[in-house]
Amino acid sequence: MKKLTVIIGLVCSGLVVVAALVSLVWTPFDPRKVDGPARFAPPGWPHVLGTDAFGIDTASRLLVGAQTTLLVGVVAVALAAVIGVPLGVFVGMGHRIAGEVVARASDILFALPALLLAILLAAALGASVTTAAVAIGIATIPVFQRMARAATLTVMSQDYILAAQVSGIPGGVIAIRHVLPNITPVLGVQAAASFSMAILAEAGLSYLGLSAPQSTPTWGRMLHDANLYAAPIQAVIPGVAIAVAVLGFNLLGDGVRDYLDPRMKELR
Amino acid sequence: MSVFGLNDVSVRFGGRRRSVEALRGVDLVIEEHERWGIVGESGSGKTTLLKLLAGLEAPTSGSLTFFDAALDLRRRETMAKLRSSVQMVFQDPRGSLDPRMTIADIVAEPLRSPLLRGRGDVPRDRAARVDEVLEAVGLDRSAKSLYPHEFSGGQRQRIALARALAPRPKILLADEPVSALDVSVRAHVLNLVNDLVDSMGLTLVMVTHDLAVVRHTCDHVGVLRHGQLVEVGATGEVMDHPRQAYTKELINAVARLDV
């Protein structure tokens, strides 16, 4: 049962990665080329998944959109983890006053929805995929900070930390040698979950026009552009793609945790 | 010169309203090469006493000396001296060995301590020292690349012992070192502790609830009850002629461990 979910996760997320890679070298049509006479073509030949209101080939946009999807996930999660994890570990390893300050700052950031942040950043820097990814990343920092702090507290209560302290190993070294490796599995699962959340959030922002401009093919933008009366299928296709990606990375998260735990090797 | 001196030491946990007194007015002098067994039930303050000696806890009142110098957790020089000469073995080797580190890394860890730099007799060649101590505790060299979960409880405690001995400490603190182990391997591990303390000339402070363990290993015993040291003396004397009713109770409560 466990294996099945990991396999489904691998297949789904693998599809997205393959689509992104393929689109780097080949797409059936130019994903930006407007072709008026071909607008609203139903799925068939030569447009496998049909065309949108501008006559742009949907299959090509879908493939290129996978790139954006992955980019957003990677940028958002990396940003959130790079800032949130060290903060969480630092807070979890001691300092009470600093901990209180970080916790309250986290609460404030947590109360600010990604959507609001994205509107803010889009207004200040202009709407683009990067601003959307950065906004989602910043909004995700508290998630990583809290997760890292909780996991660090668990690790710090272990005797091997006392053993290191008795030997006079400095706190920074303990953080790198003991704390980080032991909280990685929890963070791995969180990263995968946040990755899919970021994909979903970006799709939402694109749909609202707060992310990619029309010329950048993204799945959220495709949803936005779909004409529900003329060709409802054009809304279903990116919708399914988003669902597959979100599901895939979520299921993959569980697998990542098991893989990173040396104690689980016996069970495999 | 005494290794540790405790003068009217008390340790209190918690705030002003709800505080727990883990140790109350403890006086104790531990001389070099002595082997102390601190006995008491759970909650008697044994572990707190050990943490005090390990520099992991500070007394709320009273004074603590280390080699006749006042021990202050905030003073670097004394702490460096303590950290470079004291090692500790914990009760449960499942928790005291980092599950994500190989045995070689675990055992070599104390050798990486920056506080050891000032000491002349510190083994330079870490890998060679790891081999040496693993052999001393009776483990094969092939253990080095394995992880803690691949060993039995008794073997893990040997690894913990190897780690503690790696930096050539002067003092070994042991918190219930055999309580979490199978009865069948307790005697082996205890004998190993005995031999190593002998051959390395260590001062041992062991905390346990088991008087049989004390009789087997220690030459001095202190009985803790509700944070107070109620009886102190040479092991034979205390065991044969206990002065306190509580000590008698403890002695009668344990079956003798024949080793």
Side-chain angles (χ1 to χ4, degrees):
Chain A
M1 199 52 218
K2 189 83 202 164
K3 257 190 176 154
L4 189 69
T5 55
V6 176
I7 290 170
I8 295 174
L10 268 174
V11 169
C12 290
S13 46
L15 273 175
V16 180
V17 174
V18 168
L21 289 177
V22 166
S23 71
L24 286 175
V25 288
W26 175 82
T27 49
F29 290 85
D30 182 346
R32 287 178 184 83
K33 190 173 171 250
V34 175
D35 183 7
R39 64 203 294 261
F40 296 132
W45 195 258
H47 298 287
V48 184
L49 295 176
T51 59
D52 66 7
F54 304 96
I56 301 175
D57 181 55
T58 301
S60 303
R61 291 201 89 182
L62 199 69
L63 289 177
V64 177
Q67 287 178 28
T68 321
T69 299
L70 291 178
L71 183 76
V72 167
V74 169
V75 170
V77 169
L79 182 69
V82 162
I83 298 174
V85 172
L87 266 180
V89 170
F90 176 69
V91 172
M93 280 185 74
H95 218 283
R96 248 185 234 167
I97 298 165
E100 213 43 43
V101 171
V102 171
R104 295 292 84 80
S106 235
D107 285 344
I108 293 170
L109 199 54
F110 211 47
L112 208 67
L115 180 62
L116 213 60
L117 251 169
I119 294 173
L120 216 96
L121 280 181
L125 305 170
S128 78
V129 175
T130 320
T131 38
V134 168
I136 296 164
I138 291 175
T140 315
I141 291 172
V143 177
F144 276 87
Q145 188 272 125
R146 284 170 184 208
M147 192 63 92
R149 177 180 167 272
T152 302
L153 285 176
T154 314
V155 172
M156 290 306 284
S157 69
Q158 300 289 322
D159 281 345
Y160 55 80
I161 299 294
L162 286 183
Q165 287 170 342
V166 167
S167 291
I169 306 291
V173 179
I174 290 178
I176 290 164
R177 287 176 64 84
H178 294 290
V179 177
L180 279 180
N182 278 290
I183 66 173
T184 304
V186 182
L187 295 177
V189 178
Q190 186 55 53
S194 292
F195 198 94
S196 31
M197 282 307 294
I199 291 173
L200 204 57
E202 196 278 334
L205 293 177
S206 281
Y207 181 74
L208 295 173
L210 290 168
S211 174
Q214 213 279 325
S215 58
T216 314
T218 75
W219 294 345
R221 186 80 211 184
M222 287 166 75
L223 265 177
H224 175 85
D225 292 342
N227 186 318
L228 289 179
Y229 301 101
I233 187 77
Q234 296 306 328
V236 173
I237 291 167
V240 168
I242 293 166
V244 164
V246 170
L247 179 74
F249 286 104
N250 248 322
L251 293 179
L252 199 63
D254 290 339
V256 169
R257 176 186 51 206
D258 294 351
Y259 182 78
L260 287 175
D261 191 339
R263 280 163 299 191
M264 297 294 283
K265 277 179 192 151
E266 307 170 341
L267 304 177
R268 278 205 295 268
Chain B
M1 197 157 56
S2 64
V3 178
F4 288 111
L6 284 78
N7 186 9
D8 195 23
V9 165
S10 295
V11 176
R12 212 172 292 117
F13 292 117
R16 266 173 229 157
R17 283 195 184 169
R18 290 174 56 197
S19 69
V20 180
E21 206 156 40
L23 288 178
R24 287 191 283 183
V26 172
D27 290 306
L28 184 66
V29 176
I30 294 174
E31 302 287 343
E32 237 173 318
H33 307 304
E34 284 181 341
R35 304 159 165 217
W36 277 84
I38 307 291
V39 202
E41 297 165 324
S42 40
S44 61
K46 306 176 294 217
T47 302
T48 306
L49 180 60
L50 212 58
K51 283 191 170 171
L52 211 61
L53 302 184
L56 295 171
E57 207 78 68
T60 316
S61 65
S63 70
L64 179 61
T65 60
F66 179 64
F67 283 108
D68 296 336
L71 189 65
D72 185 343
L73 290 189
R74 285 159 302 184
R75 281 192 58 205
R76 282 204 154 197
E77 314 94 79
T78 49
M79 285 314 288
K81 197 171 176 216
L82 182 82
R83 297 260 181 266
S84 61
S85 46
V86 172
Q87 278 292 323
M88 191 160 169
V89 175
F90 297 86
Q91 175 169 3
D92 189 349
R94 270 172 303 181
S96 68
L97 306 177
D98 189 329
R100 281 166 202 288
M101 278 165 76
T102 61
I103 304 309
D105 281 341
I106 289 172
V107 175
E109 180 170 57
L111 299 172
R112 296 170 183 274
S113 170
L115 301 180
L116 290 181
R117 279 183 206 135
R119 256 177 58 193
D121 60 332
V122 175
R124 285 272 168 80
D125 187 346
R126 281 185 205 145
R129 182 63 182 157
V130 169
D131 286 345
E132 225 172 273
V133 285
L134 280 179
E135 201 187 317
V137 299
L139 280 170
D140 197 73
R141 278 183 189 195
S142 62
K144 285 197 292 182
S145 57
L146 301 177
Y147 288 87
H149 71 265
E150 294 170 274
F151 294 89
S152 70
Q155 286 173 318
R156 281 184 223 182
Q157 201 60 301
R158 284 167 192 269
I159 294 164
L161 207 51
R163 169 179 61 190
L165 298 175
R168 298 192 210 278
K170 293 194 183 81
I171 300 114
L172 183 66
L173 306 176
D175 185 1
E176 303 259 16
V178 295
S179 303
L181 305 181
D182 281 347
V183 178
S184 58
V185 297
R186 280 187 193 180
H188 282 292
V189 173
L190 267 188
N191 285 335
L192 182 63
V193 172
N194 270 350
D195 295 346
L196 291 169
V197 168
D198 265 343
S199 62
M200 301 182 76
L202 300 176
T203 306
L204 176 74
V205 183
M206 182 163 71
V207 145
T208 178
H209 65 273
D210 194 343
L211 269 175
V213 168
V214 172
R215 189 195 284 278
H216 183 65
T217 310
C218 304
D219 48 27
H220 285 76
V221 64
V223 180
L224 263 181
R225 190 188 191 193
H226 304 318
Q228 284 177 304
L229 212 46
V230 294
E231 185 149 5
V232 178
T235 306
E237 206 172 299
V238 172
M239 295 294 233
D240 297 337
H241 309 288
R243 273 171 290 166
Q244 299 282 330
Y246 179 68
T247 315
K248 275 178 208 163
E249 250 176 70
L250 279 182
I251 293 170
N252 293 332
V254 289
R256 293 192 177 192
L257 176 73
D258 294 312
V259 224

